[in-house]
Amino acid sequence: MTTDSPTQHRHGTGTPAQHRHGTGTPAQHHHRTGTPAQHRHGTGVPETAAERERIRERDRRHVWHPWSPLAADRSELTLVHGDGYRVRDLHGKEYIDATSLNTTTGYRHPHVEQAIHRQLDRLHQFDLSIASHEPVGLLAERLSSYLPDAFAKTLFVNSGSEGLEAALTIAAGYWENTGRPRKRVVSFRRGYHGSTLANRTLSGLPRITHGFAAPLPVTHVDLPLPPRELHRPHALAPLLEAFERAIGDDPDDPPMAVLVEPFLNVGGGIVLPPGFLRALREVCDTAGTLLILDEVFTGFGRTGRVFAFQHEDAPPDVLVTSKGLSGGSVPIAAVTVHQRVHDTFALDPVIGGVRYGHTTSGHPVACAAALATLDVLEKEQLAERAERHGAVLRDRLTPLIGVGEVTDVRGTGLVLVVETSSPEAATRLVLRARENGLLLRQPGEAFMAVPPLTIDDQGIDELAGRLERTVTEAAA
């Protein structure tokens, strides 16, 4: 695919005027607390133990870490530098980062960094409800090129949570616009779709529950089999039956949408049975309801395809993507919809359009970062590499089943899931892996290795070796 780039500007009009008298440079910080620590050799590692402790103490005193117990000291691991698929902490210790839900193109990718800097020099921000700008059109066009022809329209927001909230708004609006109002949603009980109020209602996970009245009715679907069985072909029939029961056939209470992740990330690293998305698409068509796919995590190469639904040719009515879209460099999310859904919003009784968005939706710098990230995805064949490297990891680590407290090894694309006998066992292994220079994620009783898609053969070999060492040491 030809790489799109912004048009050249004549007479220098695409670059900002030079600032007179040095007014374009930031003021110098005169207070120690506003100045970064002195670093050695460009690695970001502070020069002295005293400075390292000041950084940690500042964190403990002032930072409220998300999704963390107050007793946890997250400053214990403070990172100061990243390069490729490796990161470095305050003490100079290096780790392979296998927590990269966002950082698909790795750290400090020059093509992405250059695109961000160029856009900052041209136009750093404008509200899309007032006017447009070139990068957002280029990105929307680029996204449509990966999708069936009917998917020509994209609404941009800032995060996956906002994207799912927008998708719910769009689904409800579609039914209102067509004169058949609906509110109910069907979703996995162990699904996770963000931390805004409506999204939290979609999940039945204990960590996601809230004390407010439910903003919309949700029918949760329980897993018919344990996670270690669900990725096998025999799980397809009972899982589909569970969704058919949840959708129901009551003409007075049809769902407005079925909303699922192709891979349940936070819910336990759960791989769904082959053929599920294709069959669910057919179930939704038969029932006359919308299918919303949450590809916030799986989109842009992570599963071995640009989008996970492409494995089974099961396009949704609404597609939500985020994390890999800009490789984590600048926050952005995309809600891409079927044309028939989009066109009904001309009938909206208030403004004749979608009533959702933010002043930073479709941020020019984020769009430029996303375009550059998609360049890397294509040029470096990251989806194909994800499929190949993921297969290597699964082949290497499947023999660990039954070693110590490991009960299953599974995955999709470049996502490796190791299930253990308990959440406590998983925590022990994650901490031991950190000692061995490997950072992992932990959803419940499982842990996951999710490295940047740019990781090379050497990195995959090191990652597998450190995981093998971690499990065998713990079992000894």
Side-chain angles (χ1 to χ4, degrees):
M1 180 179 295
T2 302
T3 300
D4 290 311
S5 58
T7 55
Q8 297 297 312
H9 299 275
R10 294 192 301 273
H11 309 303
T13 56
T15 53
Q18 296 298 312
H19 295 279
R20 293 191 300 271
H21 310 303
T23 55
T25 27
Q28 296 298 313
H29 292 286
H30 297 292
H31 303 289
R32 187 190 65 193
T33 55
T35 308
Q38 295 299 310
H39 303 150
R40 60 172 182 267
H41 310 305
T43 64
V45 178
E47 291 182 342
T48 67
E51 187 57 47
R52 290 193 289 272
E53 182 51 34
R54 277 195 293 270
I55 291 170
R56 290 193 58 191
E57 175 58 25
R58 184 183 303 124
D59 187 285
R60 290 191 294 264
R61 184 180 296 273
H62 297 292
V63 179
W64 193 345
H65 286 268
W67 299 109
S68 301
L70 295 188
D73 180 7
R74 294 296 187 230
S75 77
E76 183 181 10
L77 177 64
T78 296
L79 301 174
V80 296
H81 190 262
D83 192 17
Y85 52 87
R86 301 177 191 272
V87 292
R88 194 181 298 273
D89 70 13
L90 277 175
H91 303 280
K93 181 176 180 177
E94 191 175 80
Y95 306 83
I96 292 176
D97 177 19
T99 69
S100 297
L101 302 186
N102 293 48
T103 317
T104 51
T105 55
Y107 295 89
R108 299 177 64 231
H109 197 291
H111 185 64
V112 178
E113 288 188 346
Q114 289 161 13
I116 290 170
H117 295 155
R118 283 196 303 270
Q119 189 57 46
L120 281 170
D121 277 344
R122 292 176 176 173
L123 180 72
H124 88 280
Q125 160 62 12
F126 207 84
D127 184 344
L128 286 181
S129 70
I130 305 298
S132 195
H133 52 77
E134 187 176 22
V136 74
L138 288 171
L139 182 57
E141 178 184 57
R142 187 76 164 272
L143 291 178
S144 71
S145 72
Y146 298 115
L147 296 164
D149 290 342
F151 289 83
K153 296 288 186 176
T154 295
L155 173 71
F156 291 101
V157 290
N158 305 305
S159 69
S161 291
E162 293 173 12
L164 269 299
E165 189 102 356
L168 294 173
T169 301
I170 289 167
Y174 167 77
W175 293 112
E176 291 280 352
N177 297 337
T178 56
R180 298 168 288 169
R182 302 181 183 185
K183 300 297 181 187
R184 186 166 65 94
V185 180
V186 174
S187 65
F188 277 109
R189 187 177 300 278
R190 290 182 68 162
Y192 173 77
H193 304 287
S195 55
T196 59
L197 182 59
N199 295 334
R200 294 171 87 97
T201 304
L202 296 171
S203 177
L205 292 171
R207 294 180 70 193
I208 314 302
T209 55
H210 59 82
F212 299 98
L216 73 168
V218 177
T219 303
H220 288 127
V221 176
D222 291 303
L223 301 182
L225 295 167
R228 62 180 176 273
E229 293 292 326
L230 205 66
H231 59 97
R232 307 188 190 283
H234 69 262
L236 178 59
L239 186 58
L240 279 179
E241 290 171 5
F243 272 89
E244 289 171 341
R245 287 193 301 272
I247 292 171
D249 56 7
D250 183 351
D252 295 325
D253 188 29
M256 71 175 185
V258 174
L259 194 163
V260 298
E261 305 160 271
F263 168 85
L264 275 61
N265 172 19
V266 178
I270 297 170
V271 179
L272 301 173
F276 171 70
L277 289 183
R278 177 69 258 170
L280 185 62
R281 171 74 273 179
E282 294 170 0
V283 167
C284 290
D285 289 341
T286 300
T289 188
L290 299 178
L291 175 61
I292 303 173
L293 283 188
D294 176 350
E295 292 224 33
V296 167
F297 168 55
T298 55
F300 306 107
R302 178 58 64 182
T303 70
R305 298 289 189 277
V306 176
F307 303 112
F309 78 79
Q310 292 172 333
H311 288 279
E312 300 179 5
D313 188 25
D317 299 293
V318 181
L319 175 68
V320 183
T321 56
S322 182
K323 298 182 187 300
L325 178 54
S326 68
S329 57
V330 184
I332 188 170
V335 186
T336 305
V337 300
H338 195 283
Q339 194 76 41
R340 68 180 173 85
V341 175
H342 168 272
D343 290 351
T344 67
F345 281 83
L347 302 172
D348 174 78
V350 179
I351 66 168
V354 66
R355 285 178 274 152
Y356 194 92
H358 311 273
T359 55
T360 51
S361 294
H363 193 282
V365 178
C367 290
L371 285 163
T373 299
L374 295 177
D375 290 343
V376 177
L377 172 72
E378 296 168 16
K379 184 176 180 181
E380 300 187 22
Q381 299 182 310
L382 297 187
E384 295 85 349
R385 287 169 63 176
E387 188 169 43
R388 183 176 71 254
H389 285 152
V392 169
L393 285 179
R394 291 191 295 277
D395 288 346
R396 280 276 300 269
L397 296 165
T398 295
L400 294 178
I401 298 175
V403 177
E405 297 178 284
V406 173
T407 60
D408 190 35
V409 173
R410 56 183 180 266
T412 177
L414 194 47
V415 183
L416 180 82
V417 182
V418 179
E419 187 174 320
T420 70
S421 57
S422 68
E424 294 76 19
T427 298
R428 287 192 293 271
L429 287 166
V430 168
L431 292 175
R432 184 175 286 271
R434 182 188 297 183
E435 295 172 3
N436 289 332
L438 176 62
L439 302 181
L440 301 168
R441 301 191 73 87
Q442 184 191 343
E445 65 272 14
F447 61 81
M448 291 166 41
V450 191
L453 301 185
T454 48
I455 192 169
D456 55 20
D457 292 344
Q458 176 186 339
I460 288 293
D461 184 61
E462 283 187 53
L463 194 163
R466 294 181 192 191
L467 262 179
E468 290 167 334
R469 175 180 161 195
T470 294
V471 172
T472 54
E473 285 176 349

